[in-house]
Amino acid sequence: KDARKQLPFPTIFNILGPLVNPARVKRAVIGVWKKELGRPVIETLKTLGYERAAVVCGDEGLDEISPAGDSKLWRLWDNGTITEETLNPFTTFGLNPFPLSHVSSPPDPCDLLKAILAGKAQEHKLNFVLMNAALVLHVDGKAKSLQLGFAMAKKCVDEGRAALLLKTLQAEGAERAKN
């Protein structure tokens, strides 16, 4: 088993991986487990030439938007400006906060992913994913706001497009594995 995965705590490699992405992407969302890392990481993304980016840290040390309470968000905008704000499930997305225990890791994450994309997961698990998908859609420029990003992601799930995309990617992966 990978030695890094055996460690019970995050390491610099949790941040370094996205920063040295060989695809040379110009937009990214990166989660950090300590608020003190947010500003340096977003400034590094700016220095590396990213056009738009976001770095997020939930108050509990979660490296995603937290469903339980506030999250800190640092954004790099198209014009090079960096802003900092606080997100909250209720004030940002209109959702009642819920404990992290409601979204703990399941025995089979693949089954959970399939259920979420098919719209068959428990509502709090779906909302947790939708909040974070909203940030990705916003940073990518597909949604003008986090609220619109949430609505877009929910519509994609509700209409079955998310599940269809997963099936398409699975089929393509299986085909490539044969060759």
Side-chain angles (χ1 to χ4, degrees):
K1 191 173 179 183
D2 184 283
R4 185 182 56 83
K5 290 181 182 177
Q6 292 180 17
L7 297 174
F9 51 85
T11 69
I12 190 64
F13 295 104
N14 295 77
I15 294 176
L16 190 58
L19 294 177
V20 296
N21 185 339
R24 305 247 189 257
V25 296
K26 293 297 178 185
R27 297 176 181 193
V29 174
I30 297 177
V32 294
W33 66 95
K34 286 175 64 174
K35 290 180 189 174
E36 296 80 13
L37 296 170
R39 186 77 183 187
V41 170
I42 199 73
E43 288 176 358
T44 300
L45 292 170
K46 180 179 179 178
T47 301
L48 290 172
Y50 282 69
E51 296 168 357
R52 291 181 77 163
V55 175
V56 66
C57 180
D59 276 359
E60 311 81 5
L62 189 66
D63 61 353
E64 299 178 71
I65 297 174
S66 174
D70 291 346
S71 299
K72 207 59 146 165
L73 176 67
W74 297 264
R75 293 193 219 200
L76 171 62
W77 298 92
D78 296 320
N79 64 4
T81 302
I82 293 175
T83 59
E84 186 177 323
E85 64 189 278
T86 300
L87 304 179
N88 179 279
F90 184 74
T91 57
T92 307
F93 299 101
L95 302 171
N96 289 323
F98 49 88
L100 288 178
S101 61
H102 285 39
V103 293
S104 61
S105 295
D108 188 351
C110 292
D111 286 344
L112 177 60
L113 175 64
K114 289 174 189 175
I116 288 170
L117 295 181
K120 296 178 180 172
Q122 296 168 324
E123 185 177 14
H124 50 268
K125 291 182 180 182
L126 176 61
N127 285 339
F128 177 54
V129 170
L130 294 176
M131 287 190 299
N132 286 283
L135 181 57
V136 171
L137 290 168
H138 182 57
V139 167
D140 194 43
K142 303 270 189 277
K144 299 250 185 245
S145 68
L146 291 171
Q147 296 78 12
L148 287 174
F150 186 92
M152 289 173 66
K154 183 164 179 17
K155 184 176 180 184
C156 186
V157 169
D158 291 346
E159 292 177 351
R161 290 183 287 141
L164 181 60
L165 177 60
L166 178 61
K167 286 181 183 175
T168 302
L169 291 172
Q170 287 174 318
E172 288 177 8
E175 187 61 34
R176 286 187 182 154
K178 289 181 196 174
N179 298 331

